[in-house]
Amino acid sequence: MGYSVAIDGPAGAGKSTIAKQIAKKMNFIYVDTGAMYRAMALFFIRNHVGADEKEKIETVCKEAKITIEYRDGEQVVLLDGENVNGLIRTEEVGNMASATSVNREVRKKLVSLQQELAKSAEVIMDGRDIGTCVLPEADVKVYLTADARVRAKRRFDELAAKGETCDIDKIEADIIDRDYRDMNREISPLKQAEDAVLVDTSCMNIEEVVETIMELIRKDREA
Ligand code: DC
C-alpha cells in the first residue's frame, strides 16, 4: 500500500477541486471514485436499467468493463474502452449514480478497483466511503463538507459559467435528496470516519482548504 489520503463528503463540498490541486502539489495520483459510480450509472442508462430494478442492476453491473487510465495526469474513465469523462457530469447521471450506488454488487466491484489503484501508488482518493471502507488505513482522512445552500450556489455558478440555465432551489433540493440517500443507505453510508478531520468549507476559499489539508499531510509525514 502506498501513502494515501482519503477525502470524503457530500456532493458539492469541493472534494474533487481540492483533491486535484493537492495531487498536483504533492505528486500524488488523484482517484475520483464518484466518476466510477457515474460510469456505471451511464452503463445502466444505456442498457435501459431502472434505478429500482435491483436484480437487473446486479446482473448488468457484472458486464460493465470499467477501467481507469491516467493521461497527462488526468484520470480517464473507460467504459468498454470508451472514454466517458465527457458524458458523466450531468445531473441525470449523478442522480442515477447516487441511486444505484446503494447496490452491494456495484459497490463490491468498484471498491476492489479502487483498492487495486491504491496498492501501487501514492494516492489522494475522494468519495463517500474512502476513509470508512475503501482505505480504512489511509494516512490522512478528511471529511469535507459545507452548507447545502452554499453547495447549491457553487453548482449553480458552475452551470451558469457553462451557459446552462438552472434553478438554484431545484439544485438545492436535489443536493438534499442526494445527501439523504448517500447518508442513509444500508451499505457504506456517507459518514465521517472516527479518525477523520472535519473541514467545513462554507466560509473558506479553495486556497484555504488546500492549505488546511496540505498542513495535515505535512504534519503526518513529519510524525
Ligand atoms: O462524487 P460524485 O457526485 O461524482 O458521486 C456520484 C454518486 O456516486 C454519489 O451520489 C454517491 C456515489 N458514490 C458512492 O456511493 N461512493 C463513492 N465512493 C463515490 C460516489
Side-chain angles (χ1 to χ4, degrees):
M1 208 47 120
Y3 190 84
S4 59
V5 179
I7 314 264
D8 289 302
K15 298 184 297 292
S16 64
T17 307
I18 303 300
K20 264 186 208 160
Q21 293 202 7
I22 295 174
K24 217 171 232 162
K25 285 179 196 280
M26 302 294 293
N27 227 357
F28 292 164
I29 283 185
Y30 166 53
V31 183
D32 171 0
T33 64
M36 303 177 194
Y37 289 93
R38 286 170 181 267
M40 185 65 93
L42 179 65
F43 188 69
F44 293 137
I45 294 170
R46 284 180 171 175
N47 285 282
H48 311 286
V49 179
D52 49 0
E53 293 182 288
K54 184 170 179 287
E55 277 164 25
K56 223 166 153 187
I57 287 174
E58 292 185 350
T59 337
V60 172
C61 87
K62 296 194 176 109
E63 294 160 16
K65 284 195 194 65
I66 295 175
T67 47
I68 301 295
E69 275 182 14
Y70 288 87
R71 296 183 188 164
D72 301 326
E74 283 279 311
Q75 172 180 297
V76 177
V77 185
L78 303 166
L79 178 59
D80 289 322
E82 174 193 356
N83 175 353
V84 293
N85 275 18
L87 303 173
I88 55 178
R89 299 280 149 212
T90 65
E91 295 303 292
E92 184 198 10
V93 173
N95 288 328
M96 184 67 170
S98 173
T100 52
S101 62
V102 303
N103 190 280
R104 189 179 299 277
E105 293 304 320
V106 170
R107 302 205 71 80
K108 217 160 81 184
K109 178 160 176 161
L110 298 182
V111 166
S112 75
L113 173 61
Q114 293 152 16
Q115 289 173 333
E116 242 359 87
L117 286 168
K119 264 189 196 157
S120 51
E122 297 194 309
V123 296
I124 179 162
M125 190 179 286
D126 78 5
R128 304 293 188 287
D129 60 338
I130 311 306
T132 52
C133 168
V134 181
L135 303 175
E137 307 297 329
D139 296 278
V140 172
K141 296 182 186 179
V142 174
Y143 189 83
L144 204 67
T145 187
D147 291 342
R149 189 70 185 177
V150 172
R151 290 185 279 131
K153 174 75 170 61
R154 289 177 186 161
R155 182 77 190 126
F156 176 85
D157 290 344
E158 240 173 59
L159 291 169
K162 284 198 270 178
E164 291 175 36
T165 47
C166 45
D167 173 359
I168 189 161
D169 293 326
K170 166 88 172 66
I171 296 176
E172 187 181 4
D174 276 352
I175 281 184
I176 291 170
D177 269 3
R178 176 125 49 116
D179 287 356
Y180 184 85
R181 238 184 349 240
D182 294 349
M183 290 174 181
N184 292 282
R185 67 180 177 223
E186 195 186 327
I187 315 161
S188 339
L190 167 64
K191 65 166 190 244
Q192 186 180 341
E194 270 175 26
D195 49 351
V197 177
L198 176 72
V199 179
D200 185 326
T201 71
S202 302
C203 301
M204 291 169 89
N205 63 32
I206 294 170
E207 293 74 45
E208 289 168 329
V209 182
V210 169
E211 189 42 45
T212 303
I213 299 175
M214 292 283 291
E215 192 53 28
L216 293 172
I217 298 171
R218 278 186 217 114
K219 278 203 183 124
D220 174 72
R221 296 200 126 174
E222 278 164 17

